[in-house]
Amino acid sequence: MNQEKDQVLVAHLAKQGIDDKMVNGHPAGLFVLFFTEMWERFSYYGMRALLTLFLISTIADGGWEWSNERAMKLYGLYTGFVYLTPLIGGMIADKLTGFKKAILIGALIMTLGHLSMAFEAVNSGFFFLGLLLMILGNGMFKPNISSMVGNLYPDKSAKKDAGYTIFYMGINAGSFLGMLLCGYIGEKIGWHYGFGLAGVFMFFGMLQFYFGQKIFGIIGDTPKALQAHHDEKVKNNEEVDEIIPRNVVRDRLIVVTIFMLASIVFFLSFEQAGGSMSIFAKDYTQRVLSGDSAVAFKWIDTILTIAPIIIVTIVLIALARKIYKQYPLTILFTAISFGIIWGLGLWKVFREIGITGSEVGASWFQILNAFFIISLASSFSKFWEKIWNPSGPVKFAMGLILVGIGFAALAYGANDIPQGAKTASVSMIWLVIAYFFHSAGELCLSPVGLSYVSKLSPKKFLGLLFGCWFCASAIANFIGGFLGSYIDKITAEHSMSYFFMIFAIVPAVTALLLIVFNPILKKMMHGIN
């Protein structure tokens, strides 16, 4: 059965003019996208890890000394607009540029954005210009690279969900390394160094994609070129894509809309990581360690730093073996960037080992999400492919339940914080538990959501509908940032535990609704599972 499915995949690739080289059973092109997205997420999450902390840090520490409320509102606006502009970027790619050019344009604009932010110490205007460029560049980049992943697989391929889960591992490898290294350098060395480092790897990501883009055949070409390819197939009486009845398209788009609404609920909770959870880590968590605790943490931090770099290096070696002869510059630029990552990772480890005692950086906790994703992604991919592959609504419900459990753990851990307290020393274990459940929930919902948008959407509107998917994340970030800005008020009037329980209950209720309506939604997907 698996062999038959592989043959279907090979035939699908041949129709698009794509080489059928495989890496771990998936098209080699998936891993070029994996590394491109990895460096883009390095840049985004590296900067995001610093944003709130930089704004609320004292002027003496190089920050701007903003209030929690003001910082959270800017954080919500920035992260919201980052996910709103893909709606426009998807439309531009669908109508004008195609996916490939849109990705390259977006990567260049984001590189310039990071460069601008590196000069925040010269003039604050560079900081805001950098945020604007990041927003615009992400709009061109984000929906279109996700669309390209979907086009590598037939809609009914069992490998599609698994392919998106592998791609998601790349997203989180980048976010892990970005938060780890930019967060560490920003907090310990200087904010502008952290902001600038993020841009270096965005530039490498752009180069490795540029020199490897031919691996995708016609996928991502301009709409004009795709139409010419389609007309040629018709002229030669070759098989063309099936025409889907209007009622089927309508039903599937309704399901996509419901998934988008569910993702809003998930991400308004999940995205507290860079906001209220960062504030909780900074002001309410015991982070100063000494003696055996400091030694144990240094070993854990060493493993957390080096293990993911090893895992992703193995992926790079597997890709290099398949495509180095055809695309040497793609592998070369990725290898150079990995050399820099290895150097920075080892420098960080040895620097920390040489310091007596240890203070865990507030940004450090954000790497746990990405670490758990990298560690669990392969298992989830195999689980969906070989053991149990429930319907989309059930996977979404599982994700919502798990994120709710994470916040319930935080609420329990914060139970002893007095009403209105400005500081506390809660054990780090509650943040670790919360990030574990959030990560497991994310793997049930986010890569699966990308896969279902790809499977259920009409192909000629794919970029637009991926833009809409990220637009749902924009709404979630706006709402999440707004709710997070009330952390001080809710803590003063009720408690910190009360604040976190809001983000536990709302996802759980949404999950229950999805389970109840699962049979109807499955029917409306018309054979897509």
Side-chain angles (χ1 to χ4, degrees):
M1 187 67 179
N2 275 341
Q3 187 60 33
E4 183 187 338
K5 286 175 183 171
D6 287 346
Q7 291 306 316
V8 170
L9 177 58
V10 168
H12 173 78
L13 294 172
K15 275 169 60 180
Q16 322 243 19
I18 302 172
D19 194 316
D20 62 1
K21 285 188 177 70
M22 298 284 173
V23 177
N24 295 330
H26 290 269
L30 172 68
F31 294 90
V32 174
L33 296 173
F34 174 104
F35 285 112
T36 306
E37 177 72 354
M38 179 177 133
W39 292 134
E40 186 275 329
R41 291 289 88 182
F42 180 103
S43 74
Y44 172 74
Y45 279 100
M47 193 281 291
R48 196 198 76 165
L50 296 173
L51 183 58
T52 302
L53 296 172
F54 165 70
L55 292 170
I56 63 175
S57 289
T58 63
I59 290 169
D61 288 333
W64 284 5
E65 217 167 308
W66 282 18
S67 67
N68 287 345
E69 182 179 355
R70 191 181 178 196
M72 278 300 304
K73 282 180 177 172
L74 178 64
Y75 174 83
L77 281 172
Y78 168 69
T79 54
F81 278 116
V82 156
Y83 286 107
L84 189 61
T85 49
L87 186 62
I88 300 164
M91 290 168 68
I92 291 170
D94 282 339
K95 300 290 183 186
L96 297 171
T97 63
F99 301 142
K100 289 175 185 170
K101 282 182 184 172
I103 289 166
L104 289 168
I105 292 166
L108 178 61
I109 294 170
M110 282 189 284
T111 300
L112 295 173
H114 285 293
L115 182 65
S116 180
M117 289 188 77
F119 289 97
E120 58 80 21
V122 177
N123 187 297
S124 61
F126 282 112
F127 179 82
F128 293 109
L129 174 62
L131 288 182
L132 177 62
L133 290 171
M134 291 286 293
I135 288 165
L136 295 174
N138 192 80
M140 290 296 287
F141 186 99
K142 190 70 179 161
N144 300 312
I145 195 162
S146 299
S147 298
M148 287 190 69
V149 175
N151 278 323
L152 289 171
Y153 300 87
D155 283 340
K156 294 186 179 179
S157 170
K159 286 184 177 287
K160 197 163 197 172
D161 282 9
Y164 268 107
T165 303
I166 292 168
F167 177 67
Y168 211 69
M169 178 185 165
I171 290 175
N172 282 276
S175 65
F176 171 85
L177 293 168
M179 289 185 284
L180 180 82
L181 296 173
C182 296
Y184 181 84
I185 289 168
E187 278 195 88
K188 307 275 182 168
I189 309 298
W191 302 108
H192 52 283
Y193 289 112
F195 291 139
L197 181 65
V200 171
F201 292 98
M202 184 68 259
F203 182 65
F204 278 118
M206 178 179 71
L207 290 177
Q208 74 98 28
F209 180 80
Y210 176 79
F211 289 109
Q213 58 185 309
K214 285 184 180 176
I215 200 170
F216 303 109
I218 64 157
I219 290 176
D221 283 356
T222 63
K224 197 173 179 181
L226 291 175
Q227 187 60 48
H229 178 79
H230 180 271
D231 292 345
E232 187 68 23
K233 283 164 73 177
V234 172
K235 183 180 168 184
N236 296 334
N237 295 317
E238 293 178 40
E239 181 189 350
V240 294
D241 295 332
E242 62 175 315
I243 296 170
I244 302 169
R246 277 189 174 185
N247 68 306
V248 174
V249 171
R250 183 200 63 219
D251 285 356
R252 287 177 176 175
L253 288 178
I254 290 169
V255 175
V256 169
T257 303
I258 290 167
F259 284 166
M260 287 178 185
L261 292 172
S263 80
I264 289 172
V265 176
F266 179 88
F267 282 108
L268 71 85
S269 299
F270 180 85
E271 286 294 341
Q272 296 302 311
S276 62
M277 287 173 71
S278 283
I279 292 168
F280 182 77
K282 182 176 183 292
D283 296 333
Y284 296 92
T285 304
Q286 169 55 30
R287 296 184 290 112
V288 179
L289 304 174
S290 60
D292 291 342
S293 297
V295 173
F297 173 76
K298 284 174 184 178
W299 277 107
I300 291 167
D301 187 48
T302 298
I303 294 165
L304 283 174
T305 301
I306 300 302
I309 302 178
I310 292 172
I311 291 168
V312 185
T313 302
I314 291 168
V315 175
L316 174 60
I317 291 167
L319 177 64
R321 283 177 176 161
K322 297 287 184 179
I323 71 166
Y324 179 73
K325 287 182 182 176
Q326 284 176 284
Y327 306 99
L329 289 176
T330 288
I331 298 300
L332 175 65
F333 284 117
T334 311
I336 291 169
S337 53
F338 264 78
I340 298 169
I341 286 291
W342 271 105
L344 288 171
L346 292 171
W347 165 78
K348 172 189 172 292
V349 165
F350 286 117
R351 185 178 186 273
E352 281 298 297
I353 287 172
I355 297 170
T356 305
S358 185
E359 180 177 2
V360 182
S363 63
W364 181 86
F365 294 96
Q366 292 185 53
I367 72 168
L368 293 171
N369 168 241
F371 175 77
F372 288 134
I373 293 283
I374 296 165
S375 305
L376 298 172
S378 181
S379 300
F380 270 76
S381 176
K382 287 185 174 69
F383 188 76
W384 301 143
E385 205 176 335
K386 296 180 179 176
I387 299 172
W388 185 47
N389 193 25
S391 67
V394 170
K395 287 177 182 172
F396 268 63
M398 288 166 64
L400 287 158
I401 289 166
L402 288 166
V403 81
I405 291 171
F407 276 107
L410 265 185
Y412 180 80
N415 209 30
D416 293 332
I417 298 175
Q419 183 178 337
K422 296 294 183 187
T423 58
S425 295
V426 174
S427 169
M428 291 191 295
I429 191 65
W430 300 110
L431 273 170
V432 175
I433 291 169
Y435 275 114
F436 173 79
F437 282 106
H438 290 186
S439 304
E442 189 182 4
L443 279 170
C444 291
L445 185 140
S446 205
V448 170
L450 292 172
S451 180
Y452 275 94
V453 172
S454 174
K455 289 190 279 194
L456 295 168
S457 302
K459 291 292 169 278
K460 63 180 178 179
F461 299 125
L462 192 57
L464 171 63
L465 282 154
F466 266 111
C468 290
W469 171 259
F470 292 115
C471 188
S473 291
I475 294 166
N477 275 279
F478 285 135
I479 297 170
F482 180 77
L483 290 173
S485 72
Y486 280 89
I487 184 169
D488 290 340
K489 289 181 181 175
I490 293 174
T491 302
E493 292 176 15
H494 300 282
S495 67
M496 182 67 73
S497 186
Y498 183 97
F499 174 81
F500 284 130
M501 276 309 294
I502 294 169
F503 299 103
I505 293 168
V506 175
V509 172
T510 309
L512 187 61
L513 290 171
L514 281 173
I515 291 167
V516 169
F517 289 105
N518 176 48
I520 298 169
L521 294 172
K522 274 181 74 176
K523 193 174 178 182
M524 292 176 72
M525 289 194 282
H526 295 277
I528 298 288
N529 188 30

mmCIF file of all heavy atoms in Angstrom, residues 64-95:
data_model
loop_
_atom_site.group_PDB
_atom_site.id
_atom_site.type_symbol
_atom_site.label_atom_id
_atom_site.label_comp_id
_atom_site.label_asym_id
_atom_site.label_seq_id
_atom_site.Cartn_x
_atom_site.Cartn_y
_atom_site.Cartn_z
ATOM 1 N N TRP A 64 13.918 50.241 27.044
ATOM 2 C CA TRP A 64 13.159 51.490 26.920
ATOM 3 C C TRP A 64 12.291 51.777 28.150
ATOM 4 O O TRP A 64 11.615 52.783 28.208
ATOM 5 C CB TRP A 64 12.289 51.459 25.660
ATOM 6 C CG TRP A 64 13.079 51.687 24.396
ATOM 7 C CD1 TRP A 64 14.433 51.807 24.274
ATOM 8 C CD2 TRP A 64 12.555 51.816 23.071
ATOM 9 N NE1 TRP A 64 14.788 52.008 22.964
ATOM 10 C CE2 TRP A 64 13.651 52.018 22.195
ATOM 11 C CE3 TRP A 64 11.269 51.764 22.531
ATOM 12 C CZ2 TRP A 64 13.514 52.184 20.823
ATOM 13 C CZ3 TRP A 64 11.116 51.930 21.161
ATOM 14 C CH2 TRP A 64 12.224 52.139 20.309
ATOM 15 N N GLU A 65 12.244 50.828 29.100
ATOM 16 C CA GLU A 65 11.525 51.000 30.366
ATOM 17 C C GLU A 65 10.035 51.292 30.163
ATOM 18 O O GLU A 65 9.452 52.129 30.853
ATOM 19 C CB GLU A 65 12.185 52.113 31.206
ATOM 20 C CG GLU A 65 12.166 51.801 32.702
ATOM 21 C CD GLU A 65 13.080 52.711 33.522
ATOM 22 O OE1 GLU A 65 14.272 52.841 33.174
ATOM 23 O OE2 GLU A 65 12.578 53.255 34.515
ATOM 24 N N TRP A 66 9.430 50.608 29.218
ATOM 25 C CA TRP A 66 7.985 50.749 29.008
ATOM 26 C C TRP A 66 7.234 49.961 30.082
ATOM 27 O O TRP A 66 7.772 49.031 30.682
ATOM 28 C CB TRP A 66 7.593 50.212 27.631
ATOM 29 C CG TRP A 66 7.889 51.142 26.487
ATOM 30 C CD1 TRP A 66 8.744 52.204 26.476
ATOM 31 C CD2 TRP A 66 7.338 51.057 25.168
ATOM 32 N NE1 TRP A 66 8.758 52.801 25.237
ATOM 33 C CE2 TRP A 66 7.900 52.119 24.411
ATOM 34 C CE3 TRP A 66 6.431 50.208 24.548
ATOM 35 C CZ2 TRP A 66 7.587 52.343 23.069
ATOM 36 C CZ3 TRP A 66 6.118 50.430 23.205
ATOM 37 C CH2 TRP A 66 6.677 51.479 22.488
ATOM 38 N N SER A 67 5.973 50.301 30.294
ATOM 39 C CA SER A 67 5.114 49.526 31.205
ATOM 40 C C SER A 67 4.749 48.202 30.536
ATOM 41 O O SER A 67 4.797 48.084 29.300
ATOM 42 C CB SER A 67 3.833 50.303 31.527
ATOM 43 O OG SER A 67 3.027 50.418 30.359
ATOM 44 N N ASN A 68 4.364 47.199 31.350
ATOM 45 C CA ASN A 68 3.926 45.910 30.799
ATOM 46 C C ASN A 68 2.777 46.093 29.817
ATOM 47 O O ASN A 68 2.742 45.476 28.745
ATOM 48 C CB ASN A 68 3.483 44.973 31.933
ATOM 49 C CG ASN A 68 4.653 44.447 32.737
ATOM 50 O OD1 ASN A 68 5.799 44.536 32.312
ATOM 51 N ND2 ASN A 68 4.366 43.914 33.911
ATOM 52 N N GLU A 69 1.822 46.964 30.181
ATOM 53 C CA GLU A 69 0.635 47.167 29.336
ATOM 54 C C GLU A 69 1.020 47.738 27.978
ATOM 55 O O GLU A 69 0.574 47.258 26.930
ATOM 56 C CB GLU A 69 -0.357 48.112 30.044
ATOM 57 C CG GLU A 69 -1.631 48.337 29.250
ATOM 58 C CD GLU A 69 -2.627 49.247 29.968
ATOM 59 O OE1 GLU A 69 -2.373 49.627 31.120
ATOM 60 O OE2 GLU A 69 -3.655 49.583 29.345
ATOM 61 N N ARG A 70 1.866 48.764 27.993
ATOM 62 C CA ARG A 70 2.266 49.403 26.738
ATOM 63 C C ARG A 70 3.074 48.440 25.856
ATOM 64 O O ARG A 70 2.860 48.361 24.636
ATOM 65 C CB ARG A 70 3.091 50.655 27.057
ATOM 66 C CG ARG A 70 3.355 51.555 25.860
ATOM 67 C CD ARG A 70 4.203 52.760 26.273
ATOM 68 N NE ARG A 70 4.505 53.609 25.145
ATOM 69 C CZ ARG A 70 5.454 54.536 25.144
ATOM 70 N NH1 ARG A 70 6.176 54.742 26.247
ATOM 71 N NH2 ARG A 70 5.691 55.263 24.081
ATOM 72 N N ALA A 71 3.978 47.691 26.476
ATOM 73 C CA ALA A 71 4.804 46.728 25.730
ATOM 74 C C ALA A 71 3.938 45.626 25.117
ATOM 75 O O ALA A 71 4.135 45.241 23.957
ATOM 76 C CB ALA A 71 5.860 46.116 26.649
ATOM 77 N N MET A 72 2.972 45.133 25.885
ATOM 78 C CA MET A 72 2.095 44.067 25.391
ATOM 79 C C MET A 72 1.231 44.546 24.233
ATOM 80 O O MET A 72 0.943 43.790 23.306
ATOM 81 C CB MET A 72 1.204 43.544 26.530
ATOM 82 C CG MET A 72 1.875 42.528 27.440
ATOM 83 S SD MET A 72 2.439 41.047 26.568
ATOM 84 C CE MET A 72 0.924 40.501 25.800
ATOM 85 N N LYS A 73 0.817 45.802 24.268
ATOM 86 C CA LYS A 73 -0.002 46.334 23.170
ATOM 87 C C LYS A 73 0.812 46.442 21.880
ATOM 88 O O LYS A 73 0.330 46.104 20.799
ATOM 89 C CB LYS A 73 -0.611 47.678 23.562
ATOM 90 C CG LYS A 73 -1.819 47.503 24.485
ATOM 91 C CD LYS A 73 -2.452 48.814 24.903
ATOM 92 C CE LYS A 73 -3.692 48.548 25.768
ATOM 93 N NZ LYS A 73 -4.231 49.779 26.347
ATOM 94 N N LEU A 74 2.079 46.904 21.993
ATOM 95 C CA LEU A 74 2.930 46.957 20.793
ATOM 96 C C LEU A 74 3.221 45.537 20.300
ATOM 97 O O LEU A 74 3.183 45.274 19.087
ATOM 98 C CB LEU A 74 4.247 47.684 21.083
ATOM 99 C CG LEU A 74 5.212 47.744 19.875
ATOM 100 C CD1 LEU A 74 4.605 48.569 18.743
ATOM 101 C CD2 LEU A 74 6.565 48.321 20.266
ATOM 102 N N TYR A 75 3.479 44.624 21.229
ATOM 103 C CA TYR A 75 3.725 43.217 20.870
ATOM 104 C C TYR A 75 2.525 42.653 20.114
ATOM 105 O O TYR A 75 2.680 42.003 19.063
ATOM 106 C CB TYR A 75 3.981 42.396 22.133
ATOM 107 C CG TYR A 75 4.100 40.909 21.886
ATOM 108 C CD1 TYR A 75 5.292 40.342 21.465
ATOM 109 C CD2 TYR A 75 3.001 40.065 22.066
ATOM 110 C CE1 TYR A 75 5.395 38.984 21.228
ATOM 111 C CE2 TYR A 75 3.090 38.707 21.829
ATOM 112 C CZ TYR A 75 4.289 38.166 21.415
ATOM 113 O OH TYR A 75 4.385 36.821 21.166
ATOM 114 N N GLY A 76 1.317 42.903 20.619
ATOM 115 C CA GLY A 76 0.104 42.413 19.965
ATOM 116 C C GLY A 76 -0.087 43.023 18.586
ATOM 117 O O GLY A 76 -0.465 42.331 17.633
ATOM 118 N N LEU A 77 0.177 44.325 18.448
ATOM 119 C CA LEU A 77 0.048 44.995 17.149
ATOM 120 C C LEU A 77 1.058 44.437 16.150
ATOM 121 O O LEU A 77 0.712 44.119 14.998
ATOM 122 C CB LEU A 77 0.266 46.509 17.303
ATOM 123 C CG LEU A 77 -0.907 47.324 17.847
ATOM 124 C CD1 LEU A 77 -0.468 48.756 18.129
ATOM 125 C CD2 LEU A 77 -2.067 47.330 16.838
ATOM 126 N N TYR A 78 2.298 44.301 16.598
ATOM 127 C CA TYR A 78 3.345 43.801 15.692
ATOM 128 C C TYR A 78 3.048 42.376 15.234
ATOM 129 O O TYR A 78 3.021 42.088 14.032
ATOM 130 C CB TYR A 78 4.719 43.859 16.374
ATOM 131 C CG TYR A 78 5.767 43.102 15.597
ATOM 132 C CD1 TYR A 78 6.205 43.576 14.360
ATOM 133 C CD2 TYR A 78 6.285 41.898 16.077
ATOM 134 C CE1 TYR A 78 7.135 42.862 13.623
ATOM 135 C CE2 TYR A 78 7.225 41.187 15.338
ATOM 136 C CZ TYR A 78 7.645 41.675 14.116
ATOM 137 O OH TYR A 78 8.565 40.957 13.387
ATOM 138 N N THR A 79 2.840 41.455 16.187
ATOM 139 C CA THR A 79 2.610 40.055 15.817
ATOM 140 C C THR A 79 1.311 39.909 15.034
ATOM 141 O O THR A 79 1.202 39.063 14.144
ATOM 142 C CB THR A 79 2.587 39.139 17.061
ATOM 143 O OG1 THR A 79 1.630 39.641 18.003
ATOM 144 C CG2 THR A 79 3.949 39.079 17.717
ATOM 145 N N GLY A 80 0.315 40.758 15.336
ATOM 146 C CA GLY A 80 -0.938 40.728 14.586
ATOM 147 C C GLY A 80 -0.736 41.121 13.135
ATOM 148 O O GLY A 80 -1.175 40.421 12.210
ATOM 149 N N PHE A 81 -0.041 42.233 12.900
ATOM 150 C CA PHE A 81 0.188 42.690 11.527
ATOM 151 C C PHE A 81 1.095 41.734 10.751
ATOM 152 O O PHE A 81 0.959 41.598 9.535
ATOM 153 C CB PHE A 81 0.769 44.110 11.517
ATOM 154 C CG PHE A 81 -0.274 45.180 11.655
ATOM 155 C CD1 PHE A 81 -0.296 46.014 12.757
ATOM 156 C CD2 PHE A 81 -1.260 45.336 10.688
ATOM 157 C CE1 PHE A 81 -1.276 46.997 12.894
ATOM 158 C CE2 PHE A 81 -2.233 46.319 10.804
ATOM 159 C CZ PHE A 81 -2.244 47.150 11.913
ATOM 160 N N VAL A 82 2.032 41.067 11.457
ATOM 161 C CA VAL A 82 2.884 40.072 10.806
ATOM 162 C C VAL A 82 2.031 38.985 10.159
ATOM 163 O O VAL A 82 2.345 38.485 9.073
ATOM 164 C CB VAL A 82 3.871 39.457 11.835
ATOM 165 C CG1 VAL A 82 4.351 38.079 11.407
ATOM 166 C CG2 VAL A 82 5.077 40.369 12.011
ATOM 167 N N TYR A 83 0.926 38.621 10.806
ATOM 168 C CA TYR A 83 0.067 37.560 10.274
ATOM 169 C C TYR A 83 -1.099 38.107 9.443
ATOM 170 O O TYR A 83 -1.842 37.330 8.841
ATOM 171 C CB TYR A 83 -0.460 36.696 11.423
ATOM 172 C CG TYR A 83 0.605 35.789 11.995
ATOM 173 C CD1 TYR A 83 1.183 36.043 13.235
ATOM 174 C CD2 TYR A 83 1.045 34.686 11.281
ATOM 175 C CE1 TYR A 83 2.171 35.224 13.749
ATOM 176 C CE2 TYR A 83 2.035 33.849 11.785
ATOM 177 C CZ TYR A 83 2.589 34.121 13.015
ATOM 178 O OH TYR A 83 3.573 33.301 13.509
ATOM 179 N N LEU A 84 -1.265 39.427 9.409
ATOM 180 C CA LEU A 84 -2.325 40.026 8.594
ATOM 181 C C LEU A 84 -1.854 40.272 7.161
ATOM 182 O O LEU A 84 -2.587 40.026 6.201
ATOM 183 C CB LEU A 84 -2.773 41.346 9.228
ATOM 184 C CG LEU A 84 -4.024 42.013 8.631
ATOM 185 C CD1 LEU A 84 -5.237 41.103 8.765
ATOM 186 C CD2 LEU A 84 -4.286 43.351 9.321
ATOM 187 N N THR A 85 -0.608 40.736 7.007
ATOM 188 C CA THR A 85 -0.098 41.051 5.662
ATOM 189 C C THR A 85 0.008 39.842 4.726
ATOM 190 O O THR A 85 -0.013 40.032 3.506
ATOM 191 C CB THR A 85 1.276 41.757 5.750
ATOM 192 O OG1 THR A 85 2.135 41.026 6.627
ATOM 193 C CG2 THR A 85 1.119 43.180 6.250
ATOM 194 N N PRO A 86 0.128 38.579 5.219
ATOM 195 C CA PRO A 86 0.116 37.455 4.269
ATOM 196 C C PRO A 86 -1.137 37.386 3.400
ATOM 197 O O PRO A 86 -1.099 36.794 2.321
ATOM 198 C CB PRO A 86 0.216 36.222 5.188
ATOM 199 C CG PRO A 86 1.026 36.705 6.343
ATOM 200 C CD PRO A 86 0.548 38.115 6.569
ATOM 201 N N LEU A 87 -2.227 37.974 3.858
ATOM 202 C CA LEU A 87 -3.448 38.012 3.035
ATOM 203 C C LEU A 87 -3.159 38.743 1.728
ATOM 204 O O LEU A 87 -3.540 38.292 0.643
ATOM 205 C CB LEU A 87 -4.565 38.728 3.813
ATOM 206 C CG LEU A 87 -5.956 38.744 3.171
ATOM 207 C CD1 LEU A 87 -6.483 37.334 3.002
ATOM 208 C CD2 LEU A 87 -6.916 39.557 4.028
ATOM 209 N N ILE A 88 -2.445 39.874 1.821
ATOM 210 C CA ILE A 88 -2.094 40.655 0.627
ATOM 211 C C ILE A 88 -0.986 39.947 -0.151
ATOM 212 O O ILE A 88 -1.025 39.848 -1.381
ATOM 213 C CB ILE A 88 -1.641 42.080 1.036
ATOM 214 C CG1 ILE A 88 -2.773 42.787 1.780
ATOM 215 C CG2 ILE A 88 -1.221 42.896 -0.181
ATOM 216 C CD1 ILE A 88 -2.354 44.009 2.562
ATOM 217 N N GLY A 89 0.015 39.418 0.572
ATOM 218 C CA GLY A 89 1.117 38.715 -0.089
ATOM 219 C C GLY A 89 0.649 37.499 -0.872
ATOM 220 O O GLY A 89 1.155 37.218 -1.965
ATOM 221 N N GLY A 90 -0.336 36.780 -0.339
ATOM 222 C CA GLY A 90 -0.891 35.621 -1.042
ATOM 223 C C GLY A 90 -1.601 36.032 -2.324
ATOM 224 O O GLY A 90 -1.476 35.374 -3.365
ATOM 225 N N MET A 91 -2.337 37.141 -2.275
ATOM 226 C CA MET A 91 -3.039 37.640 -3.468
ATOM 227 C C MET A 91 -2.049 38.093 -4.535
ATOM 228 O O MET A 91 -2.228 37.821 -5.727
ATOM 229 C CB MET A 91 -3.956 38.803 -3.067
ATOM 230 C CG MET A 91 -5.159 38.391 -2.240
ATOM 231 S SD MET A 91 -6.029 39.796 -1.490
ATOM 232 C CE MET A 91 -6.712 40.584 -2.937
ATOM 233 N N ILE A 92 -0.987 38.784 -4.112
ATOM 234 C CA ILE A 92 0.036 39.252 -5.073
ATOM 235 C C ILE A 92 0.679 38.061 -5.789
ATOM 236 O O ILE A 92 0.881 38.068 -7.005
ATOM 237 C CB ILE A 92 1.101 40.110 -4.357
ATOM 238 C CG1 ILE A 92 0.498 41.446 -3.903
ATOM 239 C CG2 ILE A 92 2.305 40.357 -5.265
ATOM 240 C CD1 ILE A 92 1.387 42.259 -2.983
ATOM 241 N N ALA A 93 0.991 37.002 -5.008
ATOM 242 C CA ALA A 93 1.611 35.814 -5.603
ATOM 243 C C ALA A 93 0.653 35.107 -6.555
ATOM 244 O O ALA A 93 1.049 34.676 -7.643
ATOM 245 C CB ALA A 93 2.063 34.863 -4.503
ATOM 246 N N ASP A 94 -0.625 34.968 -6.161
ATOM 247 C CA ASP A 94 -1.621 34.303 -7.004
ATOM 248 C C ASP A 94 -1.824 35.030 -8.332
ATOM 249 O O ASP A 94 -1.999 34.407 -9.378
ATOM 250 C CB ASP A 94 -2.976 34.227 -6.277
ATOM 251 C CG ASP A 94 -3.026 33.113 -5.235
ATOM 252 O OD1 ASP A 94 -2.220 32.173 -5.336
ATOM 253 O OD2 ASP A 94 -3.864 33.190 -4.322
ATOM 254 N N LYS A 95 -1.810 36.358 -8.295
ATOM 255 C CA LYS A 95 -2.167 37.155 -9.478
ATOM 256 C C LYS A 95 -0.964 37.626 -10.292
ATOM 257 O O LYS A 95 -1.066 37.796 -11.510
ATOM 258 C CB LYS A 95 -2.957 38.410 -9.044
ATOM 259 C CG LYS A 95 -4.262 38.113 -8.301
ATOM 260 C CD LYS A 95 -5.294 37.514 -9.230
ATOM 261 C CE LYS A 95 -6.633 37.294 -8.503
ATOM 262 N NZ LYS A 95 -7.603 36.573 -9.349
#
